[in-house]
Amino acid sequence: MKRHAFSAAFAGTLLSAAMFASPAMAQDQEQFITIGTGGQTGVYYVVGQSICRLVNRLEDANIKCNAPSTGGSVANINGIKSGELDMGVAQSDVQYQAYNGTKSFEGDAYTDLRAVFRVHGEPLTLLARADSGITTLDDLVGKRVNIGNPGSGQRNTMQVVMDAKGWTMDTFSLASQLDAAEQASALADNNIDAMVYVVGHPNGSIQEATTTVDARLIPLNDEEVKGIVAEYPYYSASVIPGGLYKGNDEDVETFGVAATFVTTVKADDEVIYQTVKAVFDNFDRFKRLHPAFENLVAEEMATQGLSAPLHDGAARYYREQGWIK
Ligand code: GLU
């Protein structure tokens, strides 16, 4: 948590005052928190902005929250680790891998990572230009594919798919690593044949792509994908409903994860408690801030899809609500 800079003399006065301060008084000091999100046309950006909007309305907590755009899940967890971010949104697979030190976090378990709550579901979304000839996952071989920027969750999940298929970067004629917010225009401009996004629906990026070029959502439901879902507890089969995007009227089978909200064990209990309280005390308002939040159920968010231990500040609120023991 970054606090206001203040003079050494003032700090001394505060320090002696703090010795006698009640916990409530500690909140008299303004606290600044930064939440890592994703690209501006994704859903994480709205998650972060929405949480901040509710936190900034709290009258007594004295927390100032901001939620800048970032590279996505992996960048957010790395930002929390380095102290640049206080909290962030991260895919449930990335949360699991970071906490346990597996896959791209091999040998680097981040055991200070703490779960706060689960948010919306995120199917792995493969969108291809209609004129590319791509109708299945295997058709990506030899094509120009945006596999995602390093730091994004999709880059991480796409690697799991590539490993299961035995693919490398050379499998594609071009493996671009554009930021999430850049891929829709790259598809429309015919700089790539397909884009990969692990994202909640509906979202601005797929909307932008499908309204500017004839593009199709491609199913991911073959043997290798089924193997991935069977092997890892944090992946599950998922469907992108038909009718959300122009030219895509049918349901599309794929697999996916959940978006989760995470922090570090080092984050202040009271700040996390107030952040969680701001969201769940105003849950109807929160759910109205994006259509991907529509079907969220508060108690499930507190208990499902989390692999790192719950942060104490979050657990305190959930206990008060009777959602956990
Ligand atoms: N799941 C993506 C990632 O982790 C971000 C999706 C979004 O911004 O909504 O990078």
Side-chain angles (χ1 to χ4, degrees), residues 123 201-202 217 238-245 248-253:
H201 293 280
L217 292 165
S238 163
V239 170
I240 304 170
L244 292 179
Y245 304 105
N248 289 274
D249 297 333
E250 306 298 323
D251 288 0
V252 173
E253 285 184 21

Side-chain angles (χ1 to χ4, degrees), residues 177-191:
Q177 304 190 48
L178 299 172
D179 282 350
E182 296 170 332
Q183 32 181 9
S185 57
L187 195 82
D189 294 344
N190 203 9
N191 293 328

Side-chain angles (χ1 to χ4, degrees), residues 215-285:
R216 301 278 180 269
L217 292 165
I218 307 300
L220 278 87
N221 54 2
D222 63 14
E223 283 314 304
E224 286 82 3
V225 167
K226 286 184 181 142
I228 291 171
V229 171
E231 185 172 353
Y232 302 106
Y234 41 83
Y235 293 124
S236 58
S238 163
V239 170
I240 304 170
L244 292 179
Y245 304 105
K246 191 174 167 216
N248 289 274
D249 297 333
E250 306 298 323
D251 288 0
V252 173
E253 285 184 21
T254 178
F255 78 104
V257 294
T260 68
F261 193 52
V262 296
T263 187
T264 156
V265 72
K266 296 188 181 116
D268 184 78
D269 282 7
E270 183 64 18
V271 169
I272 299 297
Y273 174 83
Q274 292 295 342
T275 304
V276 169
K277 185 171 162 58
V279 171
F280 291 108
D281 282 1
N282 300 287
F283 197 49
D284 286 336
R285 184 188 288 257

Side-chain angles (χ1 to χ4, degrees), residues 198-216:
V198 178
V199 67
H201 293 280
N203 67 76
S205 176
I206 305 294
Q207 217 140 27
E208 180 191 339
T210 49
T211 49
T212 47
V213 64
D214 194 7
R216 301 278 180 269

